[in-house]
Amino acid sequence: MATKAEASPRNGNVSISNNLTEEEASRYDRQMRLWGIEAQQRMRNATILIVQLKGVATEAIKNMVLAGIGKLVIVDGEQVTEEDLGAGFFFRDEDVGESRLEAAKSRIESLNPLVTVETISDTSILQDEKLESLVRSVDLVCVSDWERNDMIRVNNVCRRFGKPFYAGGTYGVLGYIFCDLVVHEHLAPDRSTPQDAPKNIKKTVEYSSLSDALAHRWTGLTKRQTKEINPSLVFTILAIWQFQSLHYGKLPDNSRDVDELKNIADAFISQADVNSQVLTQVPPEFIDSISTTAAHEFSPVCAIVGGMLAQDILKALGGREAPIANFFVFDGNTGSGTVCRMNMP
């Protein structure tokens, strides 16, 4: 008879119920050797909500489905465009003009028949009481390539019901991942034990909401610490969010937007009290490039950011490793990324 063991009620840990079937054990054998059967069971029992099916979400979905999550719920009300074909490998030329969800659903299911895929094309479900009901019914929420104000709104609902929240996206060659796991437990090395007898202990981490993270001040960081975080990249992404909010969802996409985007970024740098020896303004050439590419998706960047997003979600579900804390930014120009700890305790 299958046994049932309850996981910790802290956020990010779903209950462990039912032993893996023989088919599941065979399909997931190699990865269970890496992260263990308990972590695999947590993933198998998890229901994940994905909002918007674009390039980053496409890569994240592929990796999570192959890893063996239990159920995927995707909300998207758009049709496939020619631009979607570049980074959206679930789409084909003949899908242009058709529903993204109808075009992608069978291809997602074919990756792993053991994963349940539910699609919702009515985006009104992301409003008010319908959103609350939807969030309560899942274990983790991930929104991709969305506007800042909507991300904050959904994040606040997730916090109200103790649900982990992820957001990820790209702007041309730039990408980001933000996570709010509310209160999360994971295994960490016990630094008090001898090196020849290592052991793990359970560590509890408190996360901040996106709205609180955006109020982060860089006061107190040394010159070296500030450089390591790459503030130009962080504040350019925050400036894009603000630009998009001011322009009713429109992203910068030509040289006429350079001055406004730069002014927003520079104002944010000043307000955040960034070490002036490191940065007082975003380099003009950096803003010039981003202003003409932010509205476009580049498949390699989507693949990297989407892959990291899926990996971190699986970490959060498994509880064996520390997830991102709490804002990751990626620069496709250099192929490098960094994590900024924004307003976390």
Side-chain angles (χ1 to χ4, degrees):
M1 178 179 292
T3 60
K4 179 173 181 179
E6 291 299 326
S8 166
R10 287 197 180 274
N11 203 17
N13 295 322
V14 297
S15 62
I16 303 171
S17 61
N18 303 323
N19 294 326
L20 295 176
T21 65
E22 184 175 341
E23 183 179 1
E24 288 171 324
S26 175
R27 179 180 288 269
Y28 306 134
D29 177 68
R30 291 181 64 185
Q31 60 200 47
M32 285 193 295
R33 295 174 189 271
L34 176 65
W35 53 53
I37 188 170
E38 183 175 334
Q40 187 66 50
Q41 287 176 313
R42 293 179 191 276
M43 296 173 195
R44 191 274 297 267
N45 291 326
T47 297
I48 297 177
L49 170 65
I50 300 287
V51 177
Q52 190 152 252
L53 185 56
K54 296 191 71 176
V56 168
T58 296
E59 183 70 27
I61 286 170
K62 180 200 73 176
N63 291 353
M64 290 188 292
V65 168
L66 290 174
I69 61 168
K71 181 178 180 180
L72 190 68
V73 181
I74 312 171
V75 178
D76 188 295
E78 300 297 320
Q79 282 73 47
V80 179
T81 66
E82 290 187 0
E83 289 75 16
D84 289 328
L85 301 178
F89 50 75
F90 290 136
F91 307 131
R92 305 292 183 268
D93 290 345
E94 60 269 22
D95 296 327
V96 173
E98 301 297 322
S99 161
R100 283 179 183 163
L101 295 182
E102 290 183 8
K105 187 174 187 290
S106 62
R107 292 169 186 142
I108 296 171
E109 291 172 329
S110 69
L111 293 173
N112 188 346
L114 301 180
V115 176
T116 301
V117 180
E118 178 184 346
T119 57
I120 303 173
S121 60
D122 182 3
T123 56
S124 69
I125 199 170
L126 300 175
Q127 302 295 326
D128 306 321
E129 291 83 5
K130 290 183 180 179
L131 173 62
E132 293 181 358
S133 178
L134 180 61
V135 168
R136 284 199 302 267
S137 71
V138 301
D139 298 297
L140 184 147
V141 175
C142 175
V143 302
S144 68
D145 295 287
W146 236 23
E147 296 180 41
R148 178 196 62 194
N149 295 343
D150 284 328
M151 289 192 289
I152 291 174
R153 177 174 60 84
V154 174
N155 181 205
N156 289 340
V157 173
C158 289
R159 288 187 70 85
R160 196 180 312 152
F161 297 106
K163 305 292 185 176
F165 171 85
Y166 275 85
T170 62
Y171 302 112
V173 295
L174 305 187
Y176 71 90
I177 298 170
F178 171 81
C179 71
D180 172 15
L181 306 183
V182 192
V183 179
H184 181 73
E185 289 182 347
H186 65 85
L187 297 181
D190 186 353
R191 304 297 184 187
S192 65
T193 59
Q195 291 186 354
D196 59 348
K199 71 174 185 178
N200 291 328
I201 58 173
K202 187 169 287 187
K203 183 176 181 180
T204 301
V205 181
E206 294 185 17
Y207 281 72
S208 65
S209 67
L210 179 55
S211 57
D212 287 342
L214 293 176
H216 177 65
R217 295 293 176 267
W218 295 52
T219 308
L221 290 182
T222 65
K223 182 178 179 181
R224 179 179 177 180
Q225 289 171 328
T226 304
K227 278 185 175 181
E228 288 176 347
I229 298 174
N230 194 357
S232 289
L233 184 54
V234 173
F235 285 101
T236 297
I237 289 176
L238 299 184
I240 292 173
W241 287 359
Q242 178 68 3
F243 181 99
Q244 190 177 27
S245 177
L246 294 173
H247 292 268
Y248 307 99
K250 175 184 175 294
L251 289 168
D253 63 355
N254 60 67
S255 57
R256 294 191 301 272
D257 298 325
V258 170
D259 290 341
E260 182 179 0
L261 189 63
K262 187 176 188 309
N263 289 338
I264 294 171
D266 293 347
F268 281 171
I269 291 170
S270 177
Q271 294 166 11
D273 196 21
V274 177
N275 190 314
S276 60
Q277 291 182 298
V278 177
L279 187 73
T280 57
Q281 60 180 5
V282 176
E285 63 275 10
F286 190 62
I287 290 291
D288 286 346
S289 172
I290 298 307
S291 294
T292 56
T293 60
H296 305 282
E297 288 187 316
F298 293 98
S299 182
V301 179
C302 291
I304 292 170
V305 176
M308 292 195 64
L309 176 60
Q311 180 185 48
D312 212 68
I313 288 173
L314 296 175
K315 281 184 182 180
L317 293 173
R320 292 184 57 85
E321 299 179 67
I324 289 170
N326 54 344
F327 192 50
F328 169 80
V329 289
F330 176 77
D331 184 357
N333 293 299
T334 61
S336 62
T338 186
V339 175
C340 180
R341 192 180 179 92
M342 298 177 68
N343 255 4
M344 286 185 62

